[in-house]
Amino acid sequence: MKKSFSLSSKPTPQASFFQHDGLSVTAVESWFKVKVQLIERYVQSFIANASGRADEIVFVDLCAGSGLFSFGHQKELFAGAGLSLLSSNLPVSRWIFCEQDNDQRHALQQRVTHYFRNKNVMILDEPVDALADKLKSVIPQPARGNKVAVLCLVDPFSFEIPYATIDKLASQGFSFLMPFTWVMNQRMNYAYYLDEHRDRIKRFLGIADLQRLSTVQSNQQFYKHMVRIYQNNMLMLGLNTALSVHKVDSRLMELPAFYIGFFSKKFSTKAVLNDIQESEHVQFELW
């Protein structure tokens, strides 16, 4: 029998029991904590919408990192989305974290082992181009009488994950949660990316040329064009798409706001966004 899950009125609290352990921690700006809380709300909403229709729910984090962040003069420690969600009582049958960096993967493994021995967690180190095939081999395939819902978080703070990988995962029935965040400032601006990282941008967007970006004249235009091209590409894959926009105060992202994209073929993007809107009072129109 499928179990239902109700979206709580408050976001998942950051786990307070994580301690400095001498392992790798990623230093970030304070707004990352807000982004983590937004990711948690999206995941909770997805689960609330999927739990009555799926026999199993699997959460995949393609860029899990070390699991912990720090910020501020006092080096305040807080959990990334993966570890924070693990500390919640969510009806997720399987957690899969992907991380290629040896130091961060080692730290993540130690923390999962220390804090979450009772959870079904797998940590993968496959190269990005091999991830889709590996995930297909470890995630239960939908079968008669057994429906599997997979939510994949894609949050590398870079253009690291190529569109070809997302295409393959979409063909396996994945739903995606993507904060569109990367360094965007005076030094690493739109001209820098278009000149120095043309091939990476092409791989990220899954396009042969950057003609559609040739007219941009500011960081804000570049960012909006990137998000819209990506959204259009997901539509071409047959996924329903939705964007929410959130204010940001950052030296890394010198923009007024950033987008979070939710993409799914099996589940209603509108229903998920309605949940987020009710709980967070966010806006969904383009800024």
Side-chain angles (χ1 to χ4, degrees):
M1 179 181 295
K2 299 180 179 65
K3 298 180 179 180
S4 61
F5 170 77
S6 298
L7 187 65
S8 62
S9 59
K10 296 181 179 180
T12 304
Q14 287 289 336
S16 60
F17 52 79
F18 292 109
Q19 303 293 326
H20 289 278
D21 50 21
L23 299 171
S24 177
V25 175
T26 303
V28 296
E29 296 178 324
S30 60
W31 66 275
F32 271 67
K33 192 169 186 178
V34 175
K35 183 172 74 167
V36 167
Q37 292 170 346
L38 288 166
I39 290 170
E40 291 172 356
R41 294 302 298 176
Y42 266 98
V43 173
Q44 289 179 335
S45 179
F46 174 85
I47 292 173
N49 282 273
S51 60
R53 300 168 54 189
D55 300 283
E56 289 190 61
I57 297 175
V58 178
F59 177 80
V60 177
D61 187 344
L62 287 192
C63 312
S66 69
L68 292 183
F69 294 126
S70 68
F71 75 90
H73 176 70
Q74 300 296 325
K75 301 297 182 183
E76 178 183 341
L77 199 67
F78 68 98
L83 291 193
S84 187
L85 289 164
L86 267 175
S87 66
S88 307
N89 188 28
L90 296 173
V92 175
S93 61
R94 190 170 309 210
W95 305 80
I96 302 176
F97 298 146
C98 308
E99 179 54 50
Q100 295 183 66
D101 181 83
N102 289 332
D103 289 341
Q104 294 200 60
R105 187 176 62 255
H106 172 72
L108 180 65
Q109 182 68 69
Q110 293 298 309
R111 288 160 182 156
V112 168
T113 300
H114 180 73
Y115 294 109
F116 304 108
R117 291 179 179 272
N118 62 327
K119 296 292 181 73
N120 182 9
V121 182
M122 177 179 292
I123 298 177
L124 305 179
D125 63 353
E126 266 68 22
V128 170
D129 292 339
L131 269 178
D133 291 336
K134 180 63 178 180
L135 288 169
K136 185 176 182 178
S137 71
V138 299
I139 292 177
Q141 297 301 301
R144 185 176 181 180
N146 182 59
K147 296 181 179 179
V148 181
V150 183
L151 179 60
C152 183
L153 173 63
V154 187
D155 186 24
F157 201 72
S158 70
F159 304 111
E160 187 67 25
I161 305 300
Y163 184 72
T165 297
I166 301 301
D167 188 354
K168 291 180 180 178
L169 296 177
S171 70
Q172 297 174 29
F174 281 40
S175 298
F176 301 95
L177 181 59
M178 298 184 180
F180 289 100
T181 55
W182 54 77
V183 178
M184 192 90 255
N185 52 36
Q186 291 183 356
R187 186 175 68 86
M188 298 178 69
N189 61 12
Y190 72 97
Y192 165 80
Y193 285 118
L194 293 177
D195 291 341
E196 302 294 329
H197 293 282
R198 294 185 67 85
D199 289 341
R200 177 170 289 190
I201 297 297
K202 290 178 185 177
R203 291 184 73 221
F204 174 76
L205 294 175
I207 57 180
D209 62 65
L210 300 180
Q211 184 64 32
R212 281 177 282 179
L213 293 169
S214 61
T215 61
V216 301
Q217 298 181 351
S218 70
N219 285 351
Q220 189 166 322
Q221 286 182 352
F222 174 80
Y223 180 83
K224 286 185 176 181
H225 274 62
M226 292 283 288
V227 173
R228 285 172 176 145
I229 291 171
Y230 209 99
Q231 183 183 30
N232 287 336
N233 288 349
M234 298 298 265
L235 285 168
M236 293 295 291
L237 291 180
L239 278 71
N240 300 312
T241 74
L243 297 174
S244 62
V245 60
H246 311 272
K247 292 181 179 180
V248 61
D249 182 11
S250 168
R251 293 182 179 180
L252 293 175
M253 284 194 71
E254 294 178 349
L255 297 169
F258 70 94
Y259 291 113
I260 295 180
F262 176 59
F263 309 102
S264 180
K265 184 179 295 186
K266 297 181 177 180
F267 302 99
S268 170
T269 55
K270 182 177 180 180
V272 169
L273 285 182
N274 284 342
D275 288 341
I276 303 300
Q277 187 175 34
E278 290 175 2
S279 61
E280 298 293 335
H281 306 292
V282 299
Q283 57 184 358
F284 299 108
E285 58 275 1
L286 300 180
W287 89 79

